Amino acid sequence: MVRYVFFICMLLALPPIAAAAGTGRIFVTNEGSNTVSVIDGKTLEVVETLAVGTRPRGIGLSPGGRELYVAASEDNAIVVVDPGSLKVLRAFQAGSDPETFAVHPNGHIYISNEDDARATVFDPASGGRIAEIPVGLEPEGVAISPDGSRVIVTSESTNMLHVIRVPEHDIVANILVGARPRAAVFTRDGSLAYATSEISGEVKKVDMRQNRVVAVEKIADEKAKPKDVLLSVDEQTLYVAGGRSDSVVVLDAATLKIRATIPVGKRVWGLARSRDGSRVFSTNGASNSVSAIDTDTNKVIKTITVGDLPWGIVIDD
Amino acid sequence: MRKWSITTLTVLLFCAGTIEPCFGAMDVKLVYIGSEGDAALLGARQGLDEANLQGQFLGQKYILEARTAAAPVAELHGATAVLASLDAGAFQALAAALPGVPLFNLRATDDALRAACIANALHVIPGDAMARDAVAQWRKVHPGAKVTAGAWHGEFIKFAGRDLNKRYRAATGKGMDDHAWAGWAAVKMTSDSVARLNSADPGTLLAFLRDDLRFDGQKGAEMSFRASGQLRQPMLLVEDGRLVGEAPVRGVAGPDDLDTLGNTACR
């Protein structure tokens, strides 16, 4: 009986999540033109361009996909957009210079405040600040473990991964890494994380149970200044935005060796993966474009012109 | 002299007030030698703030003392590293008096100091040959341009230059110049190295800085020291006071080919 009731509850809980199958749209922040480009996920054409505040950078979706969040860095705000109607729903103040953020499974937003050497936690429903955590200088990347128990904030000018415990919101470890750590991603079970360092050109694998780096690999492409990082669905493959190398670098997640280098546009900053894993998209900051990559062939299937200095990207699928 | 006493006293009071973090796991003493009004000292203080921000996570506390060029060498005892804003002659004499101690050059641009390949010298400020080569590369693309080349510029925004300029201006009310950048970079690379070594021993630090440093000087390239003791770094090009570009100049050399700029050989 208990199991039956539980099952019913599960079913009742399902519709909103199922509805979150999403609009199929791809959203891209254009730091230079103060807009968000809306791309149709099927036709890969820009269907709309939204004005969303000044210097938009970080972008993300609520766990159910009903709300799109955009960090308007120079307005010190998070702008909330309806991904369906594309209407701006509201905005709230999010500390000084919000840059990147990640959305927790509980719906809260964890933001790196680049100017302020802080990470802040907001409830986007109320706009209320839940916590403020002092971290290193120029905090940048934010990654949240799938179970929500750990948050990594990278501080670019202090060269650390700060590991924050949730819900306590205290720092449990500071892991020194190569110069200018940019981004991190957790495996599904939360046991490992991968992080990039831009200036040292490295990718590292971190044991998140022991909070220590277990493998470091300098990306063999000398010009690579690695930025965003993401994992394939099967977690066997790592995709790294190569920055100045004008490519997306495909690595074996176990050995960190390069499997492929995919030329895209100039200054590759952001990455996003379709839910089914068939596509990876890159934002090419200095080419004002987004590249759509077929992950079976590791080839670009389309280059989409967007606004100036495209930065963040998220897929509502 | 009195001014510096006050500076030292402030540091001591701060330490006494927070005795645990200050005299906790590791104290790192840095000494600046030069004029008190020098931008290099302001930059070093900016670096000190940032070093202590990192140090709070690692149990490391940095102290910066300022001394004049006339100060006896005995006053430098116990320093993990020394930062000098001096002319070439005074720098070379100090280097000889401090064997095995990392000595940062924040001011003297003479190529002869690089060619001398002094074992404990760390020339953070670019040498004259680096500026000459940067200007020559720029003129290949922009013939006739009247540019000068330096280490830094208050309007530089790329590669988080914006962030450093903003922090410095907020702290000092001034734009960051070459000497301020050099002071900042010297402290920052020291704290970065001490953090990795977990040691404040001068000899250990010197070996690491000379051989293993991979430094982010907020100019987009990974910086390290040449055998001459000169820091490899991009140069910023300025025309009529305005920032116009960076060297290595694209189309002439690759952005990471830092040895195309004034790679003075050891004599």
Side-chain angles (χ1 to χ4, degrees):
Chain A
M1 182 62 189
V2 170
R3 183 173 295 175
Y4 183 70
V5 169
F6 177 75
F7 191 66
I8 294 286
C9 289
M10 287 292 288
L11 284 176
L12 287 173
L14 269 176
I17 294 170
T23 58
R25 287 168 167 158
I26 301 162
F27 297 93
V28 178
T29 52
N30 301 305
E31 181 184 359
S33 47
N34 300 324
T35 56
V36 168
S37 297
V38 184
I39 298 168
D40 182 302
K42 287 211 170 64
T43 64
L44 301 181
E45 303 280 350
V46 174
V47 290
E48 198 96 40
T49 302
L50 314 173
V52 286
T54 320
R55 205 176 178 205
R57 292 194 282 178
I59 189 164
L61 288 158
S62 63
R66 291 194 162 176
E67 293 189 333
L68 174 72
Y69 306 119
V70 178
S73 296
E74 280 184 13
D75 298 333
N76 299 327
I78 297 282
V79 180
V80 185
V81 178
D82 181 329
S85 71
L86 302 179
K87 296 264 189 299
V88 171
L89 301 174
R90 61 188 186 281
F92 59 89
Q93 289 296 297
S96 174
D97 201 12
E99 184 173 0
T100 314
F101 62 83
V103 184
H104 193 277
N106 69 11
H108 294 160
I109 301 180
Y110 285 70
I111 303 174
S112 59
N113 296 102
E114 185 171 30
D115 254 12
D116 234 14
R118 277 167 211 285
T120 48
V121 187
F122 282 87
D123 179 353
S126 63
R129 193 175 69 194
I130 292 165
E132 186 176 69
I133 306 133
V135 292
L137 274 176
E138 296 173 31
E140 172 85 20
V142 184
I144 302 180
S145 64
D147 71 357
S149 68
R150 291 287 184 278
V151 178
I152 293 174
V153 174
T154 73
S155 54
E156 290 182 306
S157 195
T158 306
N159 300 332
M160 283 178 175
L161 309 181
H162 305 281
V163 183
I164 297 163
R165 189 164 53 155
V166 180
E168 293 85 350
H169 290 138
D170 53 359
I171 292 180
V172 293
N174 298 292
I175 305 168
L176 268 172
V177 293
R180 199 152 280 269
R182 282 291 290 223
V185 62
F186 278 90
T187 54
R188 264 190 301 278
D189 68 2
S191 65
L192 288 174
Y194 296 88
T196 56
S197 286
E198 180 180 354
I199 292 293
S200 67
E202 292 167 345
V203 175
K204 62 219 63 107
K205 191 190 285 188
V206 186
D207 180 331
M208 294 306 298
R209 305 265 188 257
Q210 304 197 34
N211 294 319
R212 66 186 182 89
V213 175
V214 289
V216 182
E217 186 73 20
K218 180 134 183 154
I219 291 186
D221 183 341
E222 277 286 306
K223 285 180 296 189
K225 302 283 180 200
K227 293 177 167 61
D228 211 354
V229 57
L230 55 78
L231 274 163
S232 62
V233 174
D234 65 8
E235 302 191 333
Q236 303 294 305
T237 305
L238 207 58
Y239 297 89
V240 173
R244 194 187 272 174
S245 72
D246 304 340
S247 63
V248 172
V249 185
V250 184
L251 307 168
D252 183 305
T255 63
L256 303 183
K257 299 293 182 204
I258 295 183
R259 279 192 190 151
T261 300
I262 308 167
V264 284
K266 288 183 184 161
R267 293 296 163 95
V268 194
W269 286 335
L271 292 177
R273 193 201 70 201
S274 64
R275 192 179 294 274
D276 66 7
S278 66
R279 299 279 182 273
V280 164
F281 296 86
S282 67
T283 60
N284 314 319
S287 294
N288 299 337
S289 67
V290 166
S291 297
I293 295 164
D294 180 326
T295 54
D296 281 338
T297 61
N298 284 334
K299 296 261 191 289
V300 173
I301 55 166
K302 183 150 185 181
T303 302
I304 307 151
T305 300
V306 292
D308 292 347
L309 300 178
W311 199 97
I313 180 164
V314 70
I315 306 174
D316 180 27
D317 61 350
Chain B
M1 200 61 212
R2 181 193 285 173
K3 262 191 185 166
W4 300 326
S5 307
I6 291 169
T7 306
T8 310
L9 187 66
T10 312
V11 170
L12 289 174
L13 286 175
F14 174 70
C15 292
T18 55
I19 203 148
E20 272 310 302
C22 185
F23 298 107
M26 191 188 294
D27 277 6
V28 186
K29 181 171 132 178
L30 309 175
V31 180
Y32 165 88
I33 299 186
S35 137
E36 172 84 2
D38 198 319
L41 178 56
L42 290 178
R45 287 194 176 127
Q46 177 64 34
L48 184 75
D49 282 353
E50 300 183 11
N52 278 321
L53 199 147
Q54 182 183 54
Q56 71 179 344
F57 296 115
L58 301 170
Q60 290 153 356
K61 168 77 185 169
Y62 293 85
I63 296 163
L64 177 68
E65 294 178 1
R67 299 267 186 276
T68 59
V73 170
E75 288 189 17
L76 308 179
H77 185 72
T80 293
V82 176
L83 288 67
S85 186
L86 301 170
D87 64 31
F91 180 87
Q92 197 150 9
L94 188 60
L98 293 172
V101 177
L103 179 62
F104 290 101
N105 172 13
L106 311 182
R107 174 160 296 274
T109 58
D110 313 52
D111 290 329
L113 264 188
R114 280 77 184 165
C117 293
I118 302 162
N120 59 335
L122 300 152
H123 308 289
V124 178
I125 199 82
D128 293 328
M130 294 173 70
R132 273 198 309 276
D133 286 346
V135 168
Q137 286 188 8
W138 186 254
R139 286 189 179 141
K140 279 189 183 163
V141 186
H142 306 275
K146 288 191 168 51
V147 293
T148 56
W152 191 254
H153 194 278
E155 286 171 16
F156 189 57
I157 61 168
K158 288 169 75 177
F159 313 116
R162 179 204 305 259
D163 300 281
L164 178 57
N165 273 323
K166 211 165 163 180
R167 291 200 291 275
Y168 184 76
R169 192 174 279 284
T172 65
K174 297 177 180 177
M176 185 173 246
D177 65 9
D178 290 22
H179 299 120
W181 179 83
W184 168 84
V187 176
K188 192 86 173 181
M189 67 178 71
T190 297
S191 63
D192 202 36
S193 304
V194 167
R196 291 177 199 284
L197 294 166
N198 198 25
S199 165
D201 172 64
T204 309
L205 175 65
L206 179 60
F208 185 88
L209 287 167
R210 295 279 302 221
D211 301 334
D212 299 319
L213 181 75
R214 298 291 178 266
F215 180 63
D216 170 21
Q218 315 225 172
K219 293 202 268 182
E222 187 179 68
M223 299 185 188
S224 55
F225 282 100
R226 295 175 180 153
S228 65
Q230 173 65 55
L231 185 69
R232 293 182 179 92
Q233 60 188 293
M235 299 290 285
L236 305 187
L237 292 146
V238 177
E239 191 171 18
D240 293 331
R242 307 291 295 182
L243 185 65
V244 291
E246 299 141 48
V249 176
R250 301 297 169 85
V252 180
D256 293 306
D257 296 337
L258 299 177
D259 281 343
T260 62
L261 302 174
N263 193 5
T264 306
C266 290
R267 203 169 42 213

